Amino acid sequence: LDNRNQKIAVNTISTTPKSQNDQLPNILLVEDNIDMQEYIRFTLQNHYNIFVVPNGKVALDFLEEIFIFIKKH
């Protein structure tokens, strides 16, 4: 859904943070509102590696892939 007051990212997924730092912890941001994604990302980018997905279903799929990858290595 999209209305005048809210922008919604339907297929947004950033599986790689804008800048990855091995010294920082990782977080998964699950948010469908683009403006809120950018605000949260901007606020936390100096403290975390941020992975962004648009909804819970995509988040679960992403986490499952990460778990399988970690388990294999």
Side-chain angles (χ1 to χ4, degrees):
L1 299 175
D2 192 325
N3 63 38
R4 288 175 222 173
N5 299 325
Q6 184 177 19
K7 296 177 191 174
I8 303 213
V10 177
N11 292 318
T12 301
I13 184 166
S14 176
T15 56
T16 305
K18 286 186 178 180
S19 62
Q20 183 143 357
N21 179 337
D22 291 337
Q23 302 298 316
L24 297 177
N26 298 323
I27 63 170
L28 177 61
L29 172 59
V30 183
E31 177 58 59
D32 62 354
N33 181 292
I34 294 172
D35 292 331
M36 188 59 75
Q37 281 180 10
E38 289 304 313
Y39 173 76
I40 294 170
R41 188 188 317 224
F42 176 77
T43 303
L44 300 176
Q45 68 186 353
N46 294 325
H47 306 285
Y48 299 94
N49 295 313
I50 305 168
F51 298 86
V52 181
V53 295
N55 60 56
K57 168 72 172 109
V58 177
L60 290 174
D61 293 342
F62 177 76
L63 291 171
E64 184 176 331
E65 287 182 34
I66 294 297
F67 179 76
I68 290 170
F69 175 79
I70 291 171
K71 195 173 180 180
K72 287 181 178 179
H73 290 88

